[in-house]
Amino acid sequence: MRGKIIKGIAGFYYIWCEDENLYECKAKGGFRKDGIKPLVGDDVEIQVLDEAQRLGNVEEILPRKNELIRPAVANVDQAMIIFAMAEPMPNLNLLDRFLVMMEWQNLDTVICFSKQDVVDGEREEQLKVIYRLCGNQVLAFSSKENTGMEEVRQCLKGKTTVLAGPSGVGKSSLLNRLYPQAQSETGAISEKIGRGKHTTRHSELFHIDKGTFLFDTPGFSSLRLPDVPKEELKHYFTEFTPYIGQCKYLGCTHIHEPGCVVREKLEKGIICHSRYDNYVQMFEELAESGRKVIWRNKK
C-alpha cells in the first residue's frame, strides 16, 4: 500500500496511507545497509503487518523530487520562513542564514513576519522593504488578531510548504489557525508512542487541503552555513545577482576590491546595509572554516 511519511520518531515512521489511515511502521534493514534514511515527506510503499493495530513495514521509498538537509524533509515545493516582528525581536542574521540555506537548496522562499499586532506600520514596512529588495515575497500576519491569514492561505494553496524559523515566533499558532486538527492529530501520535503534550521536536507533515501540505519543523536558535566555498557565497545573496560581471575585477568578492559595483549600490541604498553586513560576517566565517561544496539538491 502507498502512503506518505508524516512523522518519524526513534526509528518509527508514521505513514498516512491511501486508505485514509495512519500506520506505525519500521523501515526494513536494507535501508540502513544502503545508507538510506527515510525522511518526512517521502512517498513510500508499505507492507501491512497488522490491519487492526495499523502496523507495517516500509518496503520502498519512491523517487524524491528533492531532499532538504536542514530541515531534513523531502518533496518540498517552497519554504515559508517565519520570524516575529517583535517579542522576540527578529534576528536578521539568522533570517539571512535561512535564506542562504534555502537559496543553496534551490527552493522558492516566502518570508512571513508574525506578530503584526505588536508593531506599528512603519516598522512593518521597514522589514518588508529589506527583504523585497532581495526578491522575496514578504507577508505579515497576526494569529492573535487573525489578520493576514488569507494571504498566507493563498500562498500555500496547492503546494507542499516547509515552515522554518526560530522558536517562539508563532509557527505553531499559525498552524493551528490554518489547520485546527493539527493538535488532535499530533496528540493521537503522541498517545500511540507514549509521549506527552506536543512540542515541535521533529519535522511533521499536515494535509491542509486538497494538494496542500505543510511541514512543521523544530525551531532553530542557530543555523550552520551550507557547505560552500567563500567565493560562492555571493551567489546566494540574490540582490547581488544583477551586478555579476560588472565589477572591475573578475571574481570580485564584494568585500575589499576597488571598483566593486555591489558596494557602490550599497552606498546608494539600493542594497540593504544589514544584509551586506551579514554577508561579510558569513564570508569571514566560511574563510575561517575553509569548507568545500557538497551539493545534495535533486531538483
Side-chain angles (χ1 to χ4, degrees), residues 131-215:
Y131 289 98
R132 284 175 181 154
L133 284 173
C134 54
N136 291 98
Q137 183 177 1
V138 185
L139 304 177
F141 72 93
S142 167
S143 296
K144 181 179 179 181
E145 302 293 334
N146 198 26
T147 57
M149 288 297 169
E150 189 54 36
E151 283 185 284
V152 174
R153 286 189 180 93
Q154 288 302 313
C155 181
L156 300 173
K157 191 173 182 179
K159 298 180 180 179
T160 298
T161 304
V162 58
L163 293 181
S167 300
V169 299
K171 296 199 308 298
S172 296
S173 297
L174 175 62
L175 180 60
N176 290 336
R177 280 284 187 183
L178 295 170
Y179 189 60
Q181 304 96 307
Q183 287 295 335
S184 60
E185 289 185 5
T186 301
I189 294 176
S190 296
E191 183 177 342
K192 192 173 183 68
I193 63 175
R195 299 219 174 177
K197 185 177 178 181
H198 168 61
T199 56
T200 311
R201 295 190 181 92
H202 308 270
S203 297
E204 53 190 295
L205 180 63
F206 297 99
H207 181 214
I208 303 297
D209 201 354
K210 185 176 181 180
T212 304
F213 294 88
L214 196 60
F215 286 100

Coordinates of all heavy atoms in Angstrom, one line a residue, residues 131-215:
Y131 N 13.6 42.9 2.6 CA 13.6 41.6 2.0 C 12.9 41.6 0.6 O 13.1 40.7 -0.1 CB 13.0 40.6 3.0 CG 14.0 40.4 4.1 CD1 13.9 41.0 5.3 CD2 15.1 39.6 3.9 CE1 14.9 40.9 6.3 CE2 16.1 39.5 4.8 CZ 16.0 40.1 6.0 OH 17.0 40.0 7.0
R132 N 12.1 42.6 0.3 CA 11.6 42.7 -1.0 C 12.8 43.1 -2.0 O 12.8 42.7 -3.1 CB 10.6 43.8 -1.1 CG 9.2 43.4 -0.6 CD 8.2 44.5 -0.6 NE 6.9 44.1 -0.1 CZ 6.0 44.9 0.5 NH1 6.4 46.2 0.6 NH2 4.9 44.5 0.9
L133 N 13.8 43.8 -1.4 CA 15.0 44.2 -2.2 C 15.7 42.9 -2.7 O 16.4 43.0 -3.7 CB 15.9 45.1 -1.4 CG 15.5 46.5 -1.3 CD1 16.4 47.3 -0.3 CD2 15.4 47.2 -2.6
C134 N 15.6 41.8 -2.0 CA 16.3 40.6 -2.4 C 15.4 39.7 -3.1 O 15.7 38.5 -3.3 CB 17.1 39.9 -1.2 SG 16.1 39.5 0.2
G135 N 14.2 40.2 -3.6 CA 13.4 39.4 -4.5 C 12.4 38.4 -3.9 O 11.8 37.6 -4.6
N136 N 12.3 38.5 -2.6 CA 11.4 37.5 -1.9 C 10.0 38.1 -1.8 O 9.8 39.3 -1.6 CB 11.9 37.2 -0.5 CG 13.2 36.3 -0.6 OD1 14.3 36.9 -0.4 ND2 13.0 35.1 -0.8
Q137 N 9.0 37.2 -1.8 CA 7.7 37.6 -1.4 C 7.7 37.7 0.1 O 8.2 36.9 0.8 CB 6.6 36.5 -1.8 CG 5.2 36.9 -1.5 CD 4.2 35.8 -2.0 OE1 4.6 34.8 -2.6 NE2 2.9 36.1 -1.8
V138 N 7.1 38.8 0.6 CA 7.1 39.1 2.0 C 5.7 39.3 2.5 O 4.9 40.2 2.0 CB 7.9 40.3 2.4 CG1 8.0 40.5 3.9 CG2 9.3 40.2 1.8
L139 N 5.2 38.5 3.5 CA 3.9 38.6 4.1 C 4.0 39.0 5.5 O 5.1 38.8 6.2 CB 3.2 37.3 3.9 CG 3.0 36.7 2.5 CD1 2.4 35.4 2.6 CD2 2.3 37.7 1.6
A140 N 2.9 39.4 6.1 CA 2.8 39.7 7.5 C 1.5 39.2 8.0 O 0.5 39.3 7.3 CB 3.0 41.2 7.8
F141 N 1.4 38.7 9.3 CA 0.2 38.3 9.8 C 0.2 38.4 11.3 O 1.2 38.6 12.0 CB -0.1 36.8 9.4 CG 0.8 35.8 10.1 CD1 0.4 35.2 11.3 CD2 2.1 35.5 9.6 CE1 1.2 34.2 11.9 CE2 2.9 34.6 10.2 CZ 2.5 33.9 11.4
S142 N -1.0 38.2 11.9 CA -1.1 38.2 13.4 C -2.1 37.0 13.7 O -3.3 37.1 13.3 CB -1.7 39.5 13.9 OG -2.1 39.3 15.3
S143 N -1.6 36.0 14.3 CA -2.5 34.9 14.7 C -3.5 35.4 15.8 O -4.7 35.0 15.8 CB -1.7 33.7 15.3 OG -0.9 33.2 14.3
K144 N -3.0 36.3 16.6 CA -3.9 36.8 17.7 C -5.1 37.6 17.2 O -6.2 37.4 17.6 CB -3.1 37.7 18.6 CG -3.8 38.2 19.8 CD -2.9 39.1 20.7 CE -3.7 39.7 21.9 NZ -2.8 40.5 22.7
E145 N -4.8 38.4 16.2 CA -5.9 39.3 15.6 C -6.5 38.6 14.4 O -7.5 39.2 13.8 CB -5.3 40.6 15.2 CG -4.7 41.4 16.4 CD -5.7 41.8 17.4 OE1 -6.9 42.0 17.0 OE2 -5.4 42.0 18.6
N146 N -5.9 37.5 13.9 CA -6.4 36.8 12.7 C -6.4 37.7 11.5 O -7.3 37.7 10.7 CB -7.9 36.3 12.9 CG -8.2 35.2 11.9 OD1 -7.3 34.5 11.4 ND2 -9.5 35.1 11.6
T147 N -5.3 38.5 11.4 CA -5.1 39.3 10.2 C -4.0 38.7 9.3 O -3.0 38.1 9.8 CB -4.7 40.7 10.6 OG1 -3.5 40.7 11.4 CG2 -5.8 41.4 11.4
G148 N -4.1 39.0 8.0 CA -3.1 38.5 7.1 C -3.2 37.0 6.7 O -2.4 36.5 5.9
M149 N -4.2 36.3 7.3 CA -4.3 34.9 7.1 C -4.7 34.5 5.7 O -4.2 33.4 5.2 CB -5.3 34.3 8.1 CG -4.8 34.2 9.5 SD -3.3 33.2 9.7 CE -2.8 33.7 11.3
E150 N -5.5 35.3 5.1 CA -6.0 34.9 3.7 C -4.8 34.9 2.7 O -4.7 34.1 1.8 CB -7.1 35.8 3.2 CG -7.8 35.4 2.0 CD -8.3 33.9 2.0 OE1 -8.7 33.5 3.1 OE2 -8.1 33.3 0.9
E151 N -3.9 35.9 2.9 CA -2.7 36.0 2.0 C -1.8 34.8 2.2 O -1.3 34.2 1.3 CB -1.9 37.2 2.3 CG -2.5 38.5 1.7 CD -1.6 39.7 2.0 OE1 -1.5 40.2 3.1 OE2 -0.9 40.1 1.1
V152 N -1.7 34.4 3.5 CA -0.9 33.2 3.8 C -1.5 31.9 3.2 O -0.8 31.1 2.5 CB -0.7 33.0 5.3 CG1 0.0 31.7 5.6 CG2 0.0 34.2 5.9
R153 N -2.8 31.8 3.3 CA -3.5 30.6 2.7 C -3.3 30.6 1.2 O -3.1 29.5 0.6 CB -5.0 30.7 3.1 CG -5.3 30.3 4.5 CD -6.8 30.2 4.7 NE -7.1 29.8 6.1 CZ -7.4 30.7 7.0 NH1 -7.5 32.0 6.7 NH2 -7.7 30.3 8.3
Q154 N -3.5 31.7 0.6 CA -3.3 31.7 -0.9 C -1.9 31.4 -1.3 O -1.7 30.7 -2.3 CB -3.7 33.1 -1.4 CG -5.2 33.4 -1.4 CD -6.0 32.4 -2.2 OE1 -5.7 32.0 -3.3 NE2 -7.1 31.9 -1.5
C155 N -0.9 31.8 -0.5 CA 0.5 31.5 -0.8 C 0.8 30.0 -0.7 O 1.6 29.4 -1.4 CB 1.4 32.3 0.2 SG 3.1 32.0 -0.1
L156 N 0.0 29.3 0.2 CA 0.2 27.9 0.5 C -0.5 27.0 -0.5 O -0.2 25.8 -0.7 CB -0.2 27.5 1.9 CG 0.6 28.2 3.0 CD1 -0.1 27.9 4.4 CD2 2.0 27.8 3.1
K157 N -1.6 27.5 -1.1 CA -2.6 26.7 -1.8 C -1.9 25.9 -3.0 O -1.2 26.4 -3.8 CB -3.6 27.6 -2.4 CG -4.8 26.8 -3.0 CD -5.9 27.8 -3.3 CE -7.2 27.1 -3.9 NZ -8.2 28.0 -4.2
G158 N -2.2 24.6 -2.9 CA -1.7 23.7 -4.0 C -0.3 23.3 -3.9 O 0.3 22.7 -4.9
K159 N 0.4 23.7 -2.8 CA 1.9 23.4 -2.7 C 2.2 22.7 -1.5 O 1.4 22.6 -0.5 CB 2.7 24.7 -2.8 CG 2.5 25.5 -4.1 CD 3.3 26.8 -4.0 CE 3.1 27.6 -5.3 NZ 3.8 28.9 -5.3
T160 N 3.4 22.0 -1.5 CA 3.9 21.5 -0.2 C 5.0 22.4 0.3 O 6.0 22.7 -0.4 CB 4.6 20.1 -0.5 OG1 3.5 19.2 -1.0 CG2 5.2 19.5 0.7
T161 N 4.7 23.0 1.5 CA 5.5 24.1 2.0 C 6.1 23.6 3.3 O 5.5 23.0 4.2 CB 4.6 25.3 2.3 OG1 4.0 25.7 1.1 CG2 5.4 26.5 2.8
V162 N 7.4 24.0 3.5 CA 8.0 23.7 4.8 C 8.1 25.0 5.6 O 8.5 26.1 5.1 CB 9.4 23.1 4.6 CG1 10.3 24.0 3.8 CG2 10.1 22.8 6.0
L163 N 7.6 25.0 6.8 CA 7.7 26.1 7.7 C 9.0 26.0 8.5 O 9.4 25.0 9.0 CB 6.6 26.1 8.8 CG 5.1 26.3 8.3 CD1 4.2 26.3 9.5 CD2 5.0 27.6 7.6
A164 N 9.7 27.1 8.5 CA 11.0 27.1 9.2 C 11.2 28.5 9.9 O 10.6 29.5 9.6 CB 12.2 26.9 8.3
G165 N 12.0 28.4 11.0 CA 12.2 29.7 11.8 C 12.6 29.3 13.2 O 12.5 28.2 13.6
P166 N 13.0 30.3 14.0 CA 13.3 30.1 15.4 C 12.1 29.8 16.2 O 11.0 30.0 15.8 CB 14.0 31.4 15.8 CG 13.4 32.4 14.9 CD 13.1 31.7 13.6
S167 N 12.4 29.3 17.5 CA 11.3 29.0 18.4 C 10.7 30.4 18.9 O 11.3 31.4 18.9 CB 11.9 28.3 19.6 OG 12.4 27.1 19.2
G168 N 9.4 30.3 19.2 CA 8.7 31.4 19.8 C 8.2 32.5 18.9 O 7.8 33.5 19.3
V169 N 8.2 32.2 17.6 CA 7.8 33.2 16.6 C 6.4 33.0 16.1 O 5.9 33.8 15.4 CB 8.8 33.3 15.4 CG1 10.2 33.7 15.9 CG2 8.8 32.0 14.6
G170 N 5.7 31.9 16.6 CA 4.3 31.7 16.2 C 4.1 30.7 15.1 O 3.0 30.8 14.5
K171 N 5.0 29.8 14.8 CA 4.8 28.8 13.8 C 3.6 27.9 14.2 O 2.7 27.6 13.4 CB 6.0 28.0 13.6 CG 7.2 28.7 13.0 CD 8.2 27.8 12.4 CE 8.7 26.7 13.3 NZ 9.4 27.1 14.5
S172 N 3.6 27.5 15.5 CA 2.5 26.6 15.9 C 1.2 27.3 15.9 O 0.2 26.7 15.6 CB 2.9 26.0 17.3 OG 4.0 25.2 17.2
S173 N 1.2 28.6 16.3 CA -0.1 29.4 16.3 C -0.6 29.5 14.9 O -1.8 29.4 14.7 CB 0.2 30.7 16.9 OG 0.6 30.6 18.3
L174 N 0.3 29.7 13.9 CA -0.1 29.8 12.6 C -0.7 28.5 12.1 O -1.8 28.5 11.4 CB 1.1 30.2 11.7 CG 0.8 30.2 10.2 CD1 -0.3 31.3 9.8 CD2 2.1 30.5 9.4
L175 N 0.0 27.4 12.4 CA -0.5 26.1 12.0 C -1.9 25.8 12.6 O -2.8 25.3 11.9 CB 0.5 25.0 12.4 CG 0.1 23.6 12.1 CD1 0.0 23.4 10.6 CD2 1.1 22.6 12.7
N176 N -2.1 26.2 13.8 CA -3.4 26.0 14.5 C -4.5 26.8 13.8 O -5.6 26.4 13.7 CB -3.3 26.3 16.0 CG -2.5 25.3 16.7 OD1 -2.4 24.2 16.3 ND2 -2.0 25.7 17.8
R177 N -4.2 28.0 13.3 CA -5.1 28.8 12.6 C -5.5 28.2 11.3 O -6.6 28.2 10.8 CB -4.6 30.2 12.4 CG -4.7 31.2 13.6 CD -6.1 31.6 13.8 NE -6.1 32.7 14.8 CZ -7.3 33.2 15.2 NH1 -8.4 32.8 14.6 NH2 -7.3 34.1 16.2
L178 N -4.4 27.7 10.6 CA -4.6 27.1 9.3 C -5.3 25.8 9.3 O -6.0 25.4 8.4 CB -3.3 27.0 8.5 CG -2.6 28.3 8.2 CD1 -1.2 28.1 7.7 CD2 -3.3 29.1 7.2
Y179 N -5.0 25.0 10.4 CA -5.4 23.6 10.4 C -5.6 23.2 11.9 O -4.7 22.7 12.5 CB -4.3 22.8 9.8 CG -4.7 21.3 9.6 CD1 -5.7 21.0 8.8 CD2 -3.9 20.3 10.2 CE1 -6.1 19.7 8.6 CE2 -4.2 19.0 10.0 CZ -5.3 18.7 9.2 OH -5.6 17.3 8.9
P180 N -6.8 23.5 12.5 CA -7.0 23.3 13.9 C -6.9 21.8 14.3 O -6.6 21.5 15.4 CB -8.5 23.7 14.1 CG -8.7 24.7 13.0 CD -7.9 24.2 11.8
Q181 N -7.0 20.9 13.3 CA -6.9 19.4 13.6 C -5.5 19.0 13.9 O -5.3 17.9 14.4 CB -7.4 18.6 12.4 CG -8.8 18.9 11.9 CD -8.8 19.8 10.8 OE1 -8.2 20.9 10.9 NE2 -9.5 19.5 9.7
A182 N -4.5 19.9 13.7 CA -3.1 19.5 13.9 C -2.9 19.0 15.3 O -2.2 18.0 15.5 CB -2.2 20.7 13.6
Q183 N -3.4 19.7 16.3 CA -3.2 19.3 17.7 C -3.8 18.0 18.0 O -3.1 17.1 18.6 CB -3.8 20.4 18.6 CG -3.0 21.7 18.7 CD -1.6 21.5 19.3 OE1 -1.3 20.6 20.0 NE2 -0.7 22.4 18.9
S184 N -5.0 17.7 17.5 CA -5.6 16.4 17.8 C -4.8 15.3 17.0 O -4.6 14.2 17.6 CB -7.0 16.4 17.4 OG -7.2 16.7 16.0
E185 N -4.4 15.5 15.8 CA -3.6 14.5 15.1 C -2.3 14.2 15.7 O -1.9 13.1 15.9 CB -3.4 14.9 13.6 CG -4.7 14.9 12.8 CD -4.5 15.2 11.3 OE1 -3.3 15.3 10.9 OE2 -5.5 15.3 10.6
T186 N -1.6 15.3 16.2 CA -0.3 15.1 16.9 C -0.6 14.4 18.2 O 0.2 13.6 18.6 CB 0.3 16.5 17.1 OG1 0.5 17.1 15.8 CG2 1.6 16.3 17.8
G187 N -1.7 14.7 18.9 CA -2.0 14.1 20.1 C -2.2 12.6 19.9 O -1.8 11.8 20.8
A188 N -2.8 12.2 18.8 CA -3.0 10.8 18.5 C -1.7 10.0 18.4 O -1.5 8.9 18.9 CB -3.9 10.6 17.3
I189 N -0.7 10.7 17.7 CA 0.6 10.1 17.5 C 1.3 10.0 18.9 O 1.9 9.0 19.3 CB 1.4 10.8 16.5 CG1 0.8 10.7 15.1 CG2 2.9 10.3 16.5 CD1 1.5 11.5 14.1
S190 N 1.2 11.1 19.7 CA 1.9 11.1 21.0 C 1.3 10.0 21.9 O 2.1 9.4 22.6 CB 1.7 12.5 21.6 OG 2.3 13.5 20.9
E191 N 0.0 9.8 21.8 CA -0.6 8.7 22.6 C -0.1 7.4 22.2 O 0.2 6.5 23.0 CB -2.1 8.8 22.5 CG -2.9 7.8 23.4 CD -4.4 8.0 23.3 OE1 -4.8 9.0 22.8 OE2 -5.1 7.0 23.6
K192 N 0.0 7.2 20.9 CA 0.4 5.9 20.3 C 1.9 5.5 20.8 O 2.2 4.4 21.0 CB 0.3 5.9 18.8 CG 0.5 4.6 18.1 CD 0.2 4.7 16.6 CE 0.2 3.4 15.9 NZ -0.9 2.5 16.3
I193 N 2.7 6.6 20.9 CA 4.1 6.3 21.2 C 4.4 6.6 22.7 O 5.6 6.5 23.1 CB 5.1 7.1 20.3 CG1 4.9 8.6 20.5 CG2 4.9 6.7 18.9 CD1 5.9 9.4 19.8
G194 N 3.4 6.9 23.5 CA 3.6 7.1 24.9 C 4.3 8.4 25.3 O 5.0 8.5 26.3
R195 N 4.1 9.5 24.5 CA 4.7 10.8 24.8 C 3.6 11.7 25.2 O 2.4 11.6 24.9 CB 5.4 11.3 23.6 CG 6.5 10.4 23.1 CD 7.7 11.1 22.7 NE 8.8 10.2 22.4 CZ 10.0 10.6 22.0 NH1 10.2 11.9 21.7 NH2 11.0 9.7 21.7
G196 N 4.1 12.8 25.8 CA 3.1 13.8 26.4 C 2.7 14.9 25.4 O 2.8 14.7 24.2
K197 N 2.4 16.0 25.9 CA 1.9 17.1 25.1 C 2.9 17.5 24.0 O 4.1 17.5 24.2 CB 1.7 18.3 26.0 CG 1.0 19.5 25.3 CD 0.7 20.6 26.3 CE 0.1 21.8 25.6 NZ -0.1 22.9 26.6
H198 N 2.3 17.9 22.9 CA 3.2 18.2 21.7 C 4.0 19.4 21.8 O 3.5 20.5 22.2 CB 2.2 18.3 20.5 CG 2.9 18.9 19.3 ND1 4.0 18.3 18.7 CD2 2.7 20.0 18.6 CE1 4.3 19.0 17.6 NE2 3.6 20.0 17.5
T199 N 5.3 19.3 21.5 CA 6.1 20.4 21.1 C 6.9 20.0 19.9 O 7.1 18.8 19.7 CB 7.2 20.8 22.2 OG1 7.9 19.6 22.5 CG2 6.5 21.3 23.5
T200 N 7.2 20.9 19.0 CA 7.8 20.5 17.7 C 9.2 20.2 17.9 O 10.1 21.1 17.8 CB 7.5 21.6 16.7 OG1 6.2 22.0 16.7 CG2 7.9 21.1 15.3
R201 N 9.5 18.9 18.1 CA 10.9 18.5 18.2 C 11.4 17.8 16.9 O 12.5 17.5 16.7 CB 11.1 17.5 19.4 CG 10.9 18.2 20.8 CD 11.3 17.3 21.9 NE 11.1 17.9 23.2 CZ 10.0 17.7 23.9 NH1 9.0 17.0 23.4 NH2 9.8 18.3 25.1
H202 N 10.4 17.4 16.1 CA 10.7 16.7 14.9 C 9.8 17.3 13.8 O 8.8 17.8 14.0 CB 10.3 15.2 15.1 CG 10.9 14.5 16.3 ND1 12.1 13.9 16.2 CD2 10.4 14.4 17.6 CE1 12.4 13.4 17.5 NE2 11.4 13.7 18.2
S203 N 10.3 17.1 12.6 CA 9.5 17.6 11.4 C 8.3 16.7 11.3 O 8.4 15.5 11.5 CB 10.4 17.5 10.1 OG 11.5 18.4 10.2
E204 N 7.2 17.3 11.0 CA 6.0 16.5 10.7 C 5.1 17.2 9.6 O 5.3 18.4 9.4 CB 5.2 16.3 12.0 CG 4.8 17.5 12.8 CD 4.2 17.2 14.1 OE1 3.1 16.6 14.1 OE2 4.8 17.4 15.1
L205 N 4.3 16.5 9.0 CA 3.6 16.9 7.8 C 2.1 16.9 8.0 O 1.6 15.9 8.6 CB 4.0 16.0 6.6 CG 3.3 16.3 5.2 CD1 3.8 17.7 4.7 CD2 3.7 15.2 4.2
F206 N 1.4 18.0 7.6 CA 0.0 18.0 7.7 C -0.7 18.3 6.4 O -0.2 19.1 5.6 CB -0.4 19.2 8.7 CG 0.1 19.0 10.1 CD1 1.2 19.6 10.5 CD2 -0.6 18.1 11.0 CE1 1.7 19.5 11.8 CE2 -0.1 17.9 12.2 CZ 1.0 18.6 12.7
H207 N -1.8 17.6 6.1 CA -2.6 17.7 4.9 C -3.6 18.8 5.2 O -4.6 18.6 5.8 CB -3.2 16.4 4.5 CG -4.0 16.5 3.3 ND1 -5.2 15.8 3.1 CD2 -3.9 17.2 2.2 CE1 -5.7 16.0 1.9 NE2 -4.9 16.9 1.3
I208 N -3.3 20.0 4.7 CA -4.2 21.2 5.0 C -5.4 21.2 4.1 O -6.5 21.5 4.5 CB -3.4 22.5 4.7 CG1 -2.1 22.5 5.6 CG2 -4.3 23.7 5.1 CD1 -2.4 22.5 7.1
D209 N -5.3 20.9 2.8 CA -6.4 20.9 1.9 C -5.9 20.1 0.7 O -4.8 19.6 0.6 CB -6.6 22.4 1.5 CG -8.0 22.6 0.9 OD1 -8.7 21.6 0.7 OD2 -8.4 23.8 0.6
K210 N -6.8 19.9 -0.3 CA -6.5 19.2 -1.5 C -5.3 19.7 -2.2 O -5.2 20.9 -2.6 CB -7.7 19.1 -2.5 CG -7.5 18.2 -3.7 CD -8.7 18.2 -4.6 CE -8.4 17.3 -5.7 NZ -9.6 17.2 -6.6
G211 N -4.2 18.9 -2.3 CA -3.0 19.3 -2.9 C -2.2 20.3 -2.1 O -1.1 20.8 -2.6
T212 N -2.5 20.5 -0.8 CA -1.8 21.5 0.0 C -1.3 20.8 1.3 O -2.1 20.2 2.1 CB -2.7 22.6 0.4 OG1 -3.2 23.3 -0.8 CG2 -2.0 23.7 1.2
F213 N 0.0 20.7 1.4 CA 0.6 20.1 2.6 C 1.6 21.1 3.2 O 2.1 22.0 2.6 CB 1.5 18.9 2.1 CG 0.6 17.7 1.6 CD1 0.3 17.7 0.2 CD2 0.2 16.7 2.4 CE1 -0.4 16.7 -0.3 CE2 -0.6 15.7 1.9 CZ -0.9 15.7 0.5
L214 N 1.7 20.9 4.6 CA 2.5 21.8 5.3 C 3.4 21.1 6.3 O 2.9 20.3 7.1 CB 1.6 22.8 6.1 CG 2.2 24.0 6.7 CD1 2.8 24.9 5.6 CD2 1.1 24.8 7.5
F215 N 4.7 21.3 6.2 CA 5.7 20.7 7.1 C 5.8 21.7 8.3 O 6.1 22.9 8.1 CB 7.1 20.6 6.5 CG 7.2 19.5 5.5 CD1 7.2 19.8 4.1 CD2 7.4 18.2 5.9 CE1 7.3 18.8 3.2 CE2 7.6 17.2 5.0 CZ 7.6 17.5 3.6

